[in-house]
Amino acid sequence: DELVLRRVQEEHAAECQYRPVQCRHCQTTVCLHQMEGHERYCLEKVVECANQGCSAVMKQGEMDEHCDTCEFQSVACPCHGCRTRLLRRDLPAHLAPGTPHDGHVAALIRQNAELVAQQEKMELRMREQVGVAAFEWSIA
């Protein structure tokens, strides 16, 4: 009876979905039934960059930082009104003088000037509403 019970217990321990197992990437111990989800998002798992044309390989935890600079990442043109999406590596040529998008830099300069003017107007209104001393105290 005891022998049968021990054998059943050993079989259960070998098949139990709640038994602890170690991640092969980060050595963290998780329950077997959670391992698939853990491995999907494990920061130590080595992965390839998903951007077509990029051959970078790194830990999954480093991928966000890589994608912020990856030349093969699709990005939107930063110019207001331009709806072009292109690879990050192609952005300088897209914005370069002498291209069909030559007006982009000039547009950005105009936008910046408009924003500076708006900011100055808002600051003036705030000074008028709360008084110069209160405004200067709040930004100091």
Side-chain angles (χ1 to χ4, degrees), residues 98-118:
T99 66
H101 305 284
D102 197 4
H104 279 24
V105 174
L108 285 173
I109 291 169
R110 275 193 312 277
Q111 272 184 298
N112 188 54
E114 290 170 9
L115 290 171
V116 167
Q118 286 176 2

Side-chain angles (χ1 to χ4, degrees), residues 65 77 97 120:
E65 187 176 334
C77 175
E120 289 171 354

